[in-house]
Structures are given as C-alpha cells and as structure tokens.
Amino acid sequence: MSAPPRVLTVAGSDSGGGAGIQADLKTMLAFGVHGMSVLTAVTAQNSLGVQGAWELPVEAVRAQYRSVVDDIGVQAVKTGMLASAELVETVAELIGGTEAPAVVDPVGVSKHGDSLLAASALDSVRTKLLPVATVATPNLDEVAQLTGVRVESEDGLRRAAAALLSYGPKWALIKGGHLSGDAGRVGGGQAVDFLTDGSEEHWLRAPRLDNRHTHGTGCTLASAIASGLAKGQSVPEAVAAAKEYVTGAIADGFALGGGIGPVDHGWRWRTGRA
Ligand SMILES: Nc1ncnc2c1ncn2[C@@H]1O[C@H](COP(=O)(O)OP(=O)(O)OP(=O)(O)O)[C@@H](O)[C@H]1O
Ligand SMILES: Cc1ncc(CO)c(N)n1
C-alpha cells in the first residue's frame, strides 16, 4: 500500500484533547493523511480554560522539526500556538527552508481568553512568520491585533485581508465566525469567512450553529486546509473542504467537563453524514 500524504503540525498540546496538537492530529486522520507533530508548548487545559502553559526550549523544537523533515518529509505544514517571539522566529526560519506549503494559524488567545502568545511576539509574527505563509488564518481578534483593522462588516473582512496580505502571506483567510455570533451583525445568521490572494475572492458561508461546544474550531480548520494542500488541492479547494468539515464538527460538538466542549473530529464516522 502506498504511503498517504504527510502533514506536520507545529503547535502546542491541549491536555483536554479539543484544540492544539490533539485537534490537528485527529483532523489529519479524518482527512486520510499521515499526521506528525512538533510540540512547541505544553498547556494544562480543559473545558474551563488554560490552567498553565510551559514552552519547550528552541533546541527541542528545532530537533523535532529536523527529525521529521529530514527523514520522513512533509507535503504540508501547519502552525498553531508558538508562545514566544523566539519560537515564532525559529519556526519561521524552519518553514522558510522547507518547500511544502504552510498554513499559519496565528493563535493569540484561547476561546476562554487565555493568552497563548506573548504580546512581544506579535512583531515577529508580522515580519517573520506571515511572509513564509501560504495561507494565514486569523480570527477577528487576531487580525485586529496584527493589522489594526477592526472588522464590523463584510467589507471590513476585505480590508482586514488586504492589510494582512501586505505582510506577505500568499492567501489570507479571515474567519468571521466570532462576528456573526453578535446578533448576526455580519452574514445574516451565517458563519462567514473570506479568502483572497489579492486578486481572487472567495466567500465561505455556512449556517451559524447554536452550539457552545466549539473548542478547537480554528486548529481544526487550519489542519483540514493543510491536509487538502498535502493531497494536491488548490488553496480555494482545500479551504472549501475544510469549511465543510469544521461546520459538521461544530454541529456535532459535545459537552465534556463543565465548560466549552470540543468539536467532534469523528463526526463523519459517528453520524454517517457525508
Ligand atoms: N457557531 C458557529 N457555527 C458555524 N461555524 C462557526 C461557528 N463558530 C465558528 N465557526 C467557523 O469555524 C471556523 C473557525 O473559526 P473561529 O473564528 O471559531 O476560529 P478561532 O477563533 O481561531 O478558533 P479557536 O478558538 O480554536 O482558536 C470558521 O470557519 C468559522 O466561520
Ligand atoms: C494548545 C492550544 N493551541 C491552540 C488553541 C486555540 O485556541 C488552544 N486553545 N490551545
């Protein structure tokens, strides 16, 4: 049997299994690719929040990356929680030296508002990491932090994407999920995301689901995109398939613990829906 496409996630561990490395690997399995991981940080995390976070040393991140890329090889890379300026710069340098497409999820804070990136790292994200990204996938808070553009309308999504592209990623995918939650200010009850490379424009719309168990949506979407790219899909194709997957996973998200439960990475198996 021939080997499946290989995808590498460079991200933090979520002990609760809903986001981070755990969400990434589950998503990759659901897409039929071989998932591999470079751990950047360990978090003590559950449905209620992040109780603690510990970064790994730069040498540990470098060594994991070299182990994977030099022997096994990768067809796509995805980045998530990078914690510090030093780690952001290290990962940017490693990705810059790898040919595979890179999906950069510029993770800033968790769903509970716990910080997963030092404020001092923002400039390194702008000047080192975004330039080596094939697709960057900020949510509305992250794009506001990175570009200063606060999105309050669909036209705002366009302006935010243009500002993000000025830092160098080939494609910007701005996730409007948070905005449409606000009494449907944008999208008319839909979860709207906007994808552009500066010339093509793609609007991704899905029903906004009334399920509070959304822990891990961003990690899941980015890993699904990386999986599609590893299979040879174009960025718009991979993003469309990823949006469909994350929407199904949110619909089937379930309660665990006393707070925000995870999306269901196995929804296609569990529900039999396509
Ligand atoms: N309630 C919802 N119903 C449908 N789709 C949603 C909902 N919430 C988010 N989404 C979609 O989920 C995807 C991830 O977006 P989101 O804005 O939640 O990412 P994020 O904030 O980075 O996630 P995370 O909290 O994991 O960091 C997007 O496609 C977004 O439109
Ligand atoms: C480790 C980790 N990465 C990313 C997220 C996304 O919010 C999270 N909650 N935890």
Side-chain angles (χ1 to χ4, degrees):
M1 185 175 262
S2 62
R6 289 144 282 164
V7 184
L8 175 63
T9 168
V10 182
S13 165
D14 167 6
S15 54
I21 289 274
Q22 289 79 0
D24 297 340
L25 294 175
K26 292 175 197 182
T27 301
M28 290 170 195
L29 180 63
F31 276 79
V33 300
H34 176 67
M36 302 175 287
S37 60
V38 166
L39 216 59
T40 56
V42 174
T43 70
Q45 188 172 172
N46 56 25
S47 71
L48 301 172
V50 178
Q51 290 82 39
W54 298 267
E55 282 168 48
L56 262 69
V58 164
E59 314 81 74
V61 171
R62 239 181 231 292
Q64 293 173 82
Y65 194 94
R66 290 266 63 94
S67 293
V68 170
V69 171
D70 294 349
D71 174 43
I72 301 170
V74 296
Q75 267 112 34
V77 182
K78 176 255 167 182
T79 69
M81 174 185 179
L82 297 177
S84 68
E86 209 183 6
L87 284 179
V88 169
E89 295 191 10
T90 302
V91 170
E93 179 205 315
L94 292 168
I95 288 177
T98 309
E99 258 188 39
V103 181
V104 168
D105 185 15
V107 171
V109 295
S110 80
K111 277 259 147 62
H112 301 88
D114 300 300
S115 176
L116 300 172
L117 182 74
S120 57
L122 278 176
D123 221 43
S124 306
V125 174
R126 289 187 198 102
T127 60
K128 300 281 194 329
L129 189 59
L130 290 177
V132 297
T134 308
V135 197
T137 66
N139 64 26
L140 296 183
D141 295 328
E142 290 156 355
V143 83
Q145 271 201 314
L146 290 168
T147 68
V149 178
R150 300 212 154 271
V151 177
E152 298 198 347
S153 65
E154 290 198 7
D155 198 50
L157 286 173
R158 267 206 184 91
R159 278 185 290 109
L164 195 74
L165 286 178
S166 74
Y167 290 107
K170 291 195 180 60
W171 292 84
L173 175 66
I174 315 294
K175 299 176 290 192
H178 294 206
L179 219 170
S180 49
D182 207 355
R185 263 195 301 163
V186 165
Q190 293 184 312
V192 182
D193 305 330
F194 178 62
L195 173 71
T196 183
D197 64 351
S199 60
E200 284 179 41
E201 289 191 344
H202 301 267
W203 292 91
L204 296 117
R205 298 174 193 276
R208 189 180 163 78
L209 302 162
D210 188 18
N211 184 351
R212 73 186 291 248
H213 304 303
T214 55
H215 187 76
T217 47
C219 306
T220 299
L221 184 76
S223 292
I225 297 168
S227 300
L229 295 181
K231 292 179 185 176
Q233 292 176 351
S234 67
V235 168
E237 283 168 347
V239 169
K243 175 77 171 172
E244 210 177 300
Y245 175 70
V246 80
T247 304
I250 295 169
D252 207 36
F254 46 86
L256 278 189
I260 303 174
V263 301
D264 184 4
H265 294 99
W267 66 273
R268 284 196 161 115
W269 304 316
R270 258 190 277 277
T271 66
R273 283 186 282 126

